[in-house]
Amino acid sequence: QVTLVEFGGGLVQPGNSLILSCVASQRTVNTYAMGWFRQAPGKEREFLAAIGLNAGGTYYSPSAQGRFTITKDDKNTAYLRIDSLKPEDTAVYFCASGSAVSATADHYDSWGQGTLVTVSS
């Protein structure tokens, strides 16, 4: 099982962009699918985006399409870029890894601890 650590959260003004990073410790992100989820206060964990093995394709939830971009480098880091941030994007953002892309949280076997993003002026 891999250890994942997210970076990049914080207080951001509406309209700005933010890039979150997810660093994997024991295996490279090019050998596993990576996903990003978020959980807002009082709400269930929500799938945002996933990227496949090696140079695999990207997949987005309908709500994330257009403002969210998932990428990964060729070593051990996956990224989530969020553009045009809105107050409703305020949430804890989690990355996860698994054997295949999925919008279902249970299909991922390793999770980071999450990073809090607060969108407020």
Side-chain angles (χ1 to χ4, degrees), residues 84-103:
S84 302
L85 279 155
K86 306 174 182 179
E88 50 264 43
D89 292 322
T90 295
V92 177
Y93 287 72
F94 299 88
C95 67
S97 69
S99 58
V101 294
S102 175

Side-chain angles (χ1 to χ4, degrees), residues 7-102:
F7 297 95
L11 176 63
V12 188
Q13 290 191 339
N16 285 359
S17 298
L18 187 69
I19 298 176
L20 304 178
S21 303
C22 172
V23 180
S25 63
Q26 286 103 4
R27 60 192 184 198
T28 70
V29 297
N30 267 333
T31 59
Y32 289 87
M34 301 294 295
W36 282 95
F37 292 73
R38 71 182 179 185
Q39 188 164 18
K43 295 187 177 181
E44 295 186 351
R45 192 166 296 190
E46 172 191 13
F47 168 75
L48 296 171
I51 189 166
L53 308 179
N54 298 315
T58 55
Y59 306 86
Y60 296 91
S61 70
S63 63
Q65 191 77 38
R67 293 195 301 119
F68 293 75
T69 305
I70 186 171
T71 57
K72 60 185 180 180
D73 64 17
D74 60 354
K75 296 179 180 178
N76 65 341
T77 305
Y79 304 92
L80 182 72
R81 178 185 173 99
I82 314 170
D83 294 315
S84 302
L85 279 155
K86 306 174 182 179
E88 50 264 43
D89 292 322
T90 295
V92 177
Y93 287 72
F94 299 88
C95 67
S97 69
S99 58
V101 294
S102 175

